[in-house]
Amino acid sequence: MRFNGLGTTLVIVPIFLFVAAIIIALFVAYTLFHYVLFLLVSRPKDASGIGHELNQFEQLQLIEWAPMPIDFLRHDDEQRTYDDVFGTYRDENANYSTCVFPRTPFSKIYEAEYLLLKPKDGMRLLDLGCGSGAAAAYLASLCNVEVVCVTNSSVQADICRRKFAKVGGRGQVIVTDFDSLDLPSESFDAVYSLESIGYTKDLDAWLAECWRMLKPGGRLLIRSPGSLDHCRRKEDYLSVTAFFENWRYNFVGANLLVNKMRRLGFTPIRYRRLPFWAWGLTWNFIQHLLLWKYRLKMRTFVDLEKIIWRTSKVFVFGNPYNTVLAIKPETASRALICDSAPSTRSS
């Protein structure tokens, strides 16, 4: 009996060690996966090779997918407002961004934004579509910058103000539709929009305003899920319109953004695109996918899943998450942003 017990132990121990090794290896691999994503996103590549022309679906998108002023009240097929949908779980610690790429599961989620925006003491930053202010509060906690947050949600505005109170009040919150924003020209060192540009009703005017409000040398950082630059079939285009119809969020991809930024004069422009399957595997996205489907009871996403599996799986899972970083040249002239108005300055 003693021999049998010893034999069983000798069998169990290697199995336990083997299982433990597998678990550790999976954890290391998953951590490495996040680290690689972080390196890619925080080091975008030159955009000179894209944005020179739009495909037929991108051109059609600009006509058919133009959000209307009242659309911000429509966030699912039950016609609920943004606060109706998300207010149940918004708090000071909430982060709703679907795609963030920390180096490890224990690092801060907005480190990549910090590296791309390069905030320094004394700078002014503009957050267009700030959500609950997670990114703004993180940036303000690292250096003595002033962040102006813009949201059309009073619930989010209150959360942002409470967060800024914890970092010395170095922030201002404006409750308005960011398409109606009217702030002084050349008053910000950086402007950023994290997954919010898809709500603009006029993309050209929105980007022109960013150019106007940026100081020469200022940075414009945009993160946007989804793109139609690799759409090749009409069936794919029609299937993804379900998302826009139910959510009123436009898929503004890197190709489209670079095309319009280049015309405004931004240079250099850098970008990074990662396919859905990559950022869909991040722990942050998995958490929010479960939140959307089960806690928030959002039929929009459940119905969209059915459409995806029935029609355009290849297109959707290859659809990218876009990061675009554009610089307003140091030599940008004030005359360039005031062409529509007569100059009152003497030479």
Side-chain angles (χ1 to χ4, degrees):
M1 293 294 295
R2 184 177 301 174
F3 176 79
N4 291 338
L6 180 61
T8 301
T9 301
L10 292 176
V11 171
I12 292 176
V13 170
I15 293 176
F16 174 80
L17 292 176
F18 178 72
V19 171
I22 291 177
I23 294 174
I24 293 173
L26 289 174
F27 177 78
V28 171
Y30 196 56
T31 300
L32 181 61
F33 170 71
H34 281 76
Y35 183 69
V36 170
L37 290 181
F38 175 87
L39 291 178
L40 290 173
V41 170
S42 60
R43 291 165 176 77
K45 59 184 179 180
D46 180 68
S48 59
I50 68 170
H52 298 289
E53 60 181 18
L54 305 180
N55 67 28
Q56 59 176 319
F57 299 107
E58 289 176 299
Q59 295 173 17
L60 194 60
Q61 167 192 15
L62 293 174
I63 300 172
E64 295 187 350
W65 289 11
M68 302 299 290
I70 62 171
D71 284 341
F72 77 94
L73 294 176
R74 182 180 179 183
H75 282 275
D76 63 6
D77 54 359
E78 297 178 18
Q79 302 292 306
R80 292 183 293 178
T81 68
Y82 191 97
D83 287 340
D84 289 337
V85 175
F86 291 109
T88 56
Y89 88 107
R90 286 287 178 261
D91 57 49
E92 281 81 354
N93 297 316
N95 161 56
Y96 73 99
S97 178
T98 54
C99 302
V100 287
F101 306 102
R103 285 179 288 180
T104 73
F106 312 107
S107 61
K108 299 297 183 181
I109 58 176
Y110 289 104
E111 288 185 40
E113 282 75 8
Y114 177 80
L115 292 175
L116 292 171
L117 291 170
K118 300 185 182 300
K120 298 178 181 178
D121 290 349
M123 282 188 172
R124 297 187 77 228
L125 281 63
L126 178 62
D127 186 335
L128 295 175
C130 62
S132 56
Y138 176 70
L139 295 173
S141 69
L142 295 180
C143 49
N144 186 20
V145 296
E146 178 188 357
V147 186
V148 177
C149 289
V150 181
T151 177
N152 58 19
S153 166
S154 57
V155 173
Q156 290 182 340
D158 290 338
I159 295 172
C160 289
R161 293 186 184 103
R162 291 197 295 269
K163 287 183 176 180
F164 282 136
K166 297 178 181 179
V167 292
R170 295 193 303 274
Q172 175 187 357
V173 185
I174 302 174
V175 182
T176 187
D177 185 336
F178 61 22
D179 285 312
S180 305
L181 199 61
D182 185 17
L183 294 173
S185 298
E186 298 187 356
S187 55
F188 293 98
D189 299 281
V191 176
Y192 61 94
S193 168
L194 307 181
E195 299 178 355
S196 59
I197 192 174
Y199 292 118
T200 180
K201 274 72 71 181
D202 190 331
L203 180 59
D204 290 305
W206 191 95
L207 290 171
E209 279 296 287
C210 290
W211 171 277
R212 182 185 65 80
M213 292 184 291
L214 273 173
K215 299 177 182 178
R219 293 169 172 254
L220 173 59
L221 173 64
I222 295 175
R223 292 205 191 282
S224 177
S227 173
L228 292 180
D229 58 341
H230 67 302
C231 186
R232 298 293 181 267
R233 303 188 308 163
K234 186 176 181 180
E235 304 93 283
D236 293 328
Y237 176 81
L238 292 177
S239 67
V240 296
T241 58
F243 188 90
F244 175 77
E245 288 299 324
N246 284 303
W247 194 254
R248 290 308 195 214
Y249 186 92
N250 210 340
F251 285 171
V252 183
N255 189 67
L256 182 58
L257 285 172
V258 172
N259 178 276
K260 293 184 176 298
M261 288 175 167
R262 187 178 288 128
R263 294 181 183 183
L264 283 170
F266 283 103
T267 186
I269 306 173
R270 305 186 70 82
Y271 80 106
R272 179 69 68 182
R273 286 186 291 209
L274 295 170
F276 175 89
W277 65 263
W279 57 263
L281 292 176
T282 60
W283 175 240
N284 189 70
F285 181 80
I286 292 172
Q287 286 178 300
H288 286 82
L289 189 64
L290 296 175
L291 177 71
W292 287 333
K293 186 173 182 179
Y294 298 108
R295 182 173 175 182
L296 297 181
K297 310 297 183 183
M298 293 170 61
R299 291 204 308 268
T300 297
F301 283 94
V302 177
D303 292 341
L304 190 61
E305 285 178 348
K306 296 177 182 176
I307 294 172
I308 290 171
W309 288 113
R310 189 172 65 247
T311 57
S312 54
K313 293 180 285 294
V314 174
F315 173 74
V316 172
F317 285 104
N319 211 299
Y321 183 78
N322 306 274
T323 297
V324 180
L325 176 66
I327 311 296
K328 182 176 180 178
E330 291 281 0
T331 56
S333 170
R334 289 179 180 270
L336 186 59
I337 61 175
C338 301
D339 285 343
S340 59
S343 174
T344 58
R345 294 177 296 153
S346 59
S347 58

